[in-house]
Amino acid sequence: MGVVDVALSQLADRVAPVTLATEQRLAGPAALHPVLPEGGLQRGWSVAVEGMGAWSIAAALVAPVQGSEGWAAVVGVPAFGLVAASGYGFRLDRVVVVDQPPPGRWAAVVAALVDAFDVVLVAPPSVVAARDARRLRARARERGALLVHLDGGRTWPEAVDVGLRVGPSRWEGLEPGHGHLRARRVVVTGTGRRLPGTPRRSELWLPGPDGRLAVAPPRHQSARPVPVPVLDRAG
Amino acid sequence: MGGIRTLTVWCPDWPLVAAGVPGVEPAVAVVANRVVATTAAARAEGVVVGQRRREAQSRCPEVVVLERDVDREVRRFEPVAAALDALTPRVEVADPGVVAFPTRGPSRYFGGDHALAAQALELVEVVLGGTGAARVGIADSSFAAVLAARAAAWEGTEGVLIVPAGETPAFLAPLPVTTLERPALTDVLVRLGLTTLGAFAALPAADVVGRFGTEGRQAHRLAAGEDAHPPDLRRPAEELAVTMELDPPAERVDACAFAAKALADELHATLESRGLSCLRVAVEVETDHDEVHARLWRHEGALSAAAIADRARWQLDGWLSSAAASRPRGGIRRLTLIPDDVVPATGRQLGFWGADAERTDRVTRAVARVQALLGFEAVRVPERCGGRGPAEQLRLVPAGAVDLGDSRNATDEGWVREPWPGRIPDPQPAVVHPEPIPVDVVDATGRTVAVSGRGVLSAPPAVVVGGGPSRTVRAWSGPWPADERWWDPDTHRRRARLQVVLDTDDGDEAHLLVLEHGQWGIEATYA
């Protein structure tokens, strides 16, 4: 590198814009506010999703990040339903699908993606070495990338910042012999390092009758009549 | 004088000429359902470039609609450019259908502009062999020369229009500002009441720079009959050229294009670190039989690495499909990119989307790094396509084959307009198993559920066995029969799909089951 090149790169470093703390915040979808710390996520965090409905939650989480010109990479999850994800706002023109790297190369591939992508969705082929996990976490924090574990964080040696577990679900619209799957009610529980204390729960439509993620109003508690105490006239 | 006297050869309606459509047949070439080129016969019926496909078809019902194929266009254009190589080595291809070269040397050699133009026209018409027309324009700048070539078509001066030296500003003055092909700038100019190039050129340069920046200044120079960048008479420093040796020699065009992309990245980095930009880039290809093929491409700081790789691929395609005598016989051993006409980079005015361009660059570089680790096909991007099953509605194409910065219409929700009757209704399943997980679906008596030829279930499904513990079916619907491609025995597929909700300890589990050749499988899971 010549003298001019060195000088130019030093100058570029000096005038690079300083990122404000507020730019590190990523607003989560409104329906997930109750289960996310301060209603959102931060760049550089690791998120794990698990349960029946986890991948749909992941799609809903990623959609707002792509909305502001962000890019997502899905690594080693060939079964990830992109059409379904697009129903939750996931942008298909801002996603790249990468084949599962062999275990020896997994860390190198994800590191290369973390450098440029705003969200990287992964399901490592085997348990990740603690050293690789530490390095990736540091790099993600430095580059402002979100790491989403689609396998619930099973293969990640560290505790994740936010863990979303999709609990029991109930589908509506399908009856024995007719109809079709229309809407589903789920219970989402938030745990993780950034949500200490009792896990937060929220009942959601995933998807609702309009096809979107939404907060589900609590259903009628019970259909059984509550016994009314009979006053004892004598007493 | 701010411009280099240039001769431009323009082959009108090239997308259709390359497709082999004669001018007397009404035909159009479309991109994303918009017309980009028409034949003369189509124009006579009122079809115009820019119309939507349906509008064109309503004006001319028998019009033949072709999807534009840029690869084919450039490949078929290579012989035209090669024919002009006989006149001068500095032939430059801007786009398929437009080729230009400076006239100074050749004009003197052939005895004047008129003789040169006649020569060029003759050479090109020999190659075209009457399948298409060619027009020649000569003017003091390459921008004006293209417009002169287009004007030659209308004025019928035997296909040649020569703007005498010094009269270029007068020639350009009455032309509309839309010829600058900078829609954002043109919008503003029209609203300011400046509808002709002459009116725009009459503005003081300092005011134009103040209002429109560097890009405006370049457009201003074009409108005045000068070249956008003042010509740089220095020879490019030799160390700016970048070379890659391919060992073993590449036999496939794809491998060469991949190498060209990496080389182009290197070239851009080299130029950028010196604050330079080039107006043209020469792609030189050498085989292991010592055959060399070089072609100049217009760059003007506007070509991305992917675009340069495309041009390298087109150049190779064209060379490989040229006449047997000039075809290469060996594999590609060396690839060289030489920047031509290097000028100081004035920088691009970043609009609201400036950060986006930089981000796309970073993404593209990361993709290239991962491709180097895992292979070209390992990184892909989705495109919507028609289909009934969840796996059939998307297609994955290699990321290296698309320009990630482009607005890719094939990802839009409305891209697939055809109805696909029998498609499983929304919402779509979030987990699409690469291969259906084999299971057995039995009815209340324990017999496997079958689907008749008319799409009727033999009995309601009761239990799903396999792919986990046995689970009872709480609700189900279907079948959605799909008898596809029945006309082709090799690709004929008959399947039936069922939506089921299974009862488990953890609540509901919804799956999409598929039956093919008597075997049930879980095609997708609604997770």
Side-chain angles (χ1 to χ4, degrees):
Chain A
M1 253 167 78
V3 174
V4 175
D5 307 318
V6 169
L8 275 177
S9 60
Q10 278 177 345
L11 187 63
D13 283 337
R14 289 229 299 271
V15 303
V18 174
T19 28
L20 304 170
T22 45
E23 284 176 12
Q24 294 291 91
R25 280 209 65 70
L26 294 167
L32 287 176
H33 279 196
V35 291
L36 293 175
E38 289 167 36
L41 301 166
Q42 285 240 10
R43 286 184 178 276
W45 278 6
S46 55
V47 181
V49 292
E50 63 175 327
M52 189 58 66
W55 291 8
S56 301
I57 290 280
L61 272 179
V62 172
V65 183
Q66 285 175 316
S68 47
E69 302 313 325
W71 277 84
V74 181
V75 187
V77 191
F80 191 74
L82 288 166
V83 181
S86 70
Y88 291 104
F90 194 89
R91 283 180 67 170
L92 296 182
D93 60 340
R94 289 274 190 269
V95 66
V96 149
V97 176
V98 181
D99 289 347
Q100 183 72 291
R105 297 216 156 152
W106 187 86
V109 168
V110 175
L113 294 169
V114 157
D115 272 348
F117 284 77
D118 301 90
V119 189
V120 183
L121 299 108
V122 299
S126 55
V127 176
V128 179
R131 186 192 49 205
D132 288 333
R134 246 199 327 266
R135 268 209 287 244
L136 279 175
R137 177 161 52 90
R139 201 145 173 183
R141 189 124 30 114
E142 188 194 317
R143 298 309 216 151
L146 202 62
L147 208 53
V148 179
H149 297 270
L150 292 174
D151 61 353
R154 281 197 309 260
T155 45
W156 196 244
E158 307 184 332
V160 294
D161 292 301
V162 176
L164 293 175
R165 180 176 172 69
V166 184
S169 45
R170 183 99 183 149
W171 276 98
E172 290 180 11
L174 196 67
E175 305 297 328
H178 61 95
H180 69 88
L181 292 169
R182 235 181 291 266
R184 166 175 54 176
R185 294 178 71 103
V186 298
V187 174
V188 176
T189 315
T191 53
R193 274 213 311 223
R194 309 281 171 175
L195 291 167
T198 23
R200 307 191 196 178
R201 287 170 86 253
S202 181
E203 255 195 69
L204 302 173
W205 283 115
L206 182 75
D210 60 352
R212 288 205 291 255
L213 172 71
V215 176
R219 263 195 303 205
H220 234 338
Q221 279 310 324
S222 69
R224 275 176 299 124
V226 177
V228 177
V230 175
L231 291 171
D232 187 5
R233 296 236 192 157
Chain B
M1 214 353 69
I4 299 185
R5 198 158 170 76
T6 311
L7 182 151
T8 300
V9 177
W10 173 57
C11 300
D13 310 328
W14 186 253
L16 292 155
V17 172
V21 178
V24 296
E25 205 181 293
V28 293
V30 297
V31 170
N33 278 326
R34 272 211 189 264
V35 174
V36 293
T38 63
T39 57
R43 276 194 294 276
E45 302 273 340
V47 177
V48 166
V49 169
Q51 280 175 344
R52 299 187 71 81
R53 185 216 325 224
R54 286 196 208 280
E55 206 188 322
Q57 283 172 321
S58 70
R59 300 217 179 186
C60 177
E62 66 270 11
V63 72
V64 174
V65 177
L66 297 166
E67 196 65 45
R68 184 175 186 195
D69 186 352
V70 184
D71 284 357
R72 176 177 58 194
E73 286 173 36
V74 181
R75 214 176 331 126
R76 298 272 168 88
F77 197 61
E78 175 58 32
V80 175
L84 291 172
D85 277 338
L87 295 178
T88 168
R90 294 192 50 83
V91 170
E92 166 202 319
V93 178
D95 285 316
V98 181
V99 62
F101 58 83
T103 61
R104 198 170 62 173
S107 180
R108 236 179 321 187
Y109 182 77
F110 286 97
D113 284 343
H114 285 272
L116 178 63
Q119 269 281 19
L121 203 53
E122 203 185 296
L123 284 172
V124 172
E125 294 201 324
V126 162
V127 171
L128 291 177
T131 55
R135 304 273 177 256
V136 171
I138 301 186
D140 290 329
S141 71
S142 55
F143 171 68
V146 173
L147 294 176
R150 287 188 206 259
W154 292 112
E155 293 180 27
T157 48
E158 289 145 14
V160 175
L161 182 66
I162 300 181
V163 178
E167 290 182 26
T168 304
F171 166 69
L172 289 175
L175 299 176
V177 286
T178 43
T179 51
L180 287 169
E181 288 187 0
R182 287 168 160 82
L185 178 65
T186 318
D187 263 341
V188 179
L189 290 177
V190 166
R191 274 186 285 137
L192 289 173
L194 304 161
T195 48
T196 62
L197 291 177
F200 181 42
L203 298 175
D207 290 347
V208 171
V209 173
R211 175 72 176 77
F212 297 111
T214 329
E215 249 195 69
R217 174 77 178 111
Q218 288 171 2
H220 190 243
R221 292 178 64 101
L222 290 180
E226 298 168 6
D227 280 325
H229 301 266
D232 184 35
L233 300 168
R234 291 176 301 164
R235 301 237 28 114
E238 281 312 308
E239 67 246 28
L240 289 178
V242 288
T243 308
M244 187 183 285
E245 305 276 344
L246 298 166
D247 190 13
E251 302 282 339
R252 287 178 46 215
V253 174
D254 276 337
C256 220
F258 192 40
K261 190 139 169 238
L263 257 192
D265 269 331
E266 208 188 304
L267 178 69
H268 284 161
T270 317
L271 289 175
E272 233 176 79
S273 67
R274 286 174 171 68
L276 298 171
S277 162
C278 64
L279 298 183
R280 278 173 280 269
V281 61
V283 178
E284 207 176 270
V285 183
E286 191 178 323
T287 68
D288 56 4
H289 284 229
D290 291 333
E291 298 146 313
V292 180
H293 187 270
R295 174 69 59 223
L296 262 181
W297 296 91
R298 183 170 309 163
H299 186 297
E300 285 172 357
L303 287 186
S304 63
I308 294 187
D310 274 340
R311 279 156 181 76
R313 186 159 42 85
W314 297 337
Q315 183 176 328
L316 284 168
D317 271 341
W319 192 20
L320 287 169
S321 50
S322 60
S326 41
R327 209 177 297 171
R329 266 159 302 147
I332 309 295
R333 175 182 62 192
R334 185 182 302 137
L335 195 59
T336 310
L337 296 182
I338 308 158
D340 190 73
D341 241 345
V342 169
V343 296
T346 43
R348 280 172 299 144
Q349 180 129 34
L350 296 179
F352 289 122
W353 49 92
D356 191 25
E358 189 226 314
R359 194 191 288 260
T360 313
D361 277 343
R362 266 191 296 153
V363 165
T364 315
R365 277 200 294 270
V367 163
R369 292 227 305 277
V370 175
Q371 280 177 327
L373 286 170
L374 299 178
F376 188 62
E377 304 269 327
V379 184
R380 290 173 290 173
V381 288
E383 270 182 7
R384 289 190 196 253
C385 56
R388 293 184 176 85
E392 291 147 13
Q393 293 173 40
L394 268 193
R395 166 177 52 212
L396 291 174
V397 296
V402 299
D403 188 351
L404 295 173
D406 245 354
S407 64
R408 292 179 291 126
N409 301 333
T411 53
D412 289 344
E413 227 174 283
W415 176 248
V416 178
R417 290 169 203 238
E418 297 81 16
W420 277 77
R423 199 181 82 109
I424 308 296
D426 282 340
Q428 296 296 317
V431 180
V432 180
H433 305 290
E435 287 297 326
I437 302 173
V439 293
D440 201 7
V441 181
V442 298
D443 60 21
T445 65
R447 274 203 296 263
T448 303
V449 172
V451 177
S452 77
R454 287 176 197 263
V456 177
L457 284 181
S458 61
V463 181
V464 171
V465 182
S470 298
R471 292 153 284 182
T472 25
V473 176
R474 176 169 80 74
W476 60 274
S477 184
W480 280 273
D483 189 354
E484 292 167 313
R485 298 189 66 87
W486 46 265
W487 56 87
D488 184 353
D490 290 328
T491 51
H492 180 205
R493 281 186 93 167
R494 286 186 68 200
R495 288 172 287 187
R497 294 185 169 93
L498 225 54
Q499 274 188 349
V500 293
V501 171
L502 305 175
D503 238 344
T504 69
D505 296 329
D506 287 317
D508 285 347
E509 245 184 53
H511 297 280
L512 186 68
L513 302 176
V514 66
L515 175 68
E516 190 173 13
H517 300 312
Q519 169 71 49
W520 282 102
I522 302 181
E523 189 175 16
T525 302
Y526 289 85

mmCIF file of all heavy atoms in Angstrom, chain B residues 98 148 182:
data_model
loop_
_atom_site.group_PDB
_atom_site.id
_atom_site.type_symbol
_atom_site.label_atom_id
_atom_site.label_comp_id
_atom_site.label_asym_id
_atom_site.label_seq_id
_atom_site.Cartn_x
_atom_site.Cartn_y
_atom_site.Cartn_z
ATOM 1 N N VAL B 98 -25.137 -0.660 -29.925
ATOM 2 C CA VAL B 98 -24.458 0.628 -30.085
ATOM 3 C C VAL B 98 -22.957 0.411 -29.969
ATOM 4 O O VAL B 98 -22.474 -0.080 -28.956
ATOM 5 C CB VAL B 98 -24.889 1.636 -29.000
ATOM 6 C CG1 VAL B 98 -24.176 2.959 -29.215
ATOM 7 C CG2 VAL B 98 -26.391 1.837 -29.030
ATOM 8 N N ALA B 148 -27.007 11.560 -33.306
ATOM 9 C CA ALA B 148 -26.928 11.764 -34.751
ATOM 10 C C ALA B 148 -27.299 10.475 -35.473
ATOM 11 O O ALA B 148 -28.011 10.498 -36.483
ATOM 12 C CB ALA B 148 -25.511 12.209 -35.130
ATOM 13 N N ARG B 182 -31.524 10.927 -17.829
ATOM 14 C CA ARG B 182 -31.346 11.064 -16.397
ATOM 15 C C ARG B 182 -32.685 11.554 -15.861
ATOM 16 O O ARG B 182 -32.905 12.757 -15.716
ATOM 17 C CB ARG B 182 -30.266 12.094 -16.083
ATOM 18 C CG ARG B 182 -28.859 11.605 -16.367
ATOM 19 C CD ARG B 182 -27.911 12.771 -16.309
ATOM 20 N NE ARG B 182 -26.541 12.398 -16.099
ATOM 21 C CZ ARG B 182 -25.699 11.993 -17.035
ATOM 22 N NH1 ARG B 182 -26.115 11.879 -18.264
ATOM 23 N NH2 ARG B 182 -24.448 11.678 -16.738
#
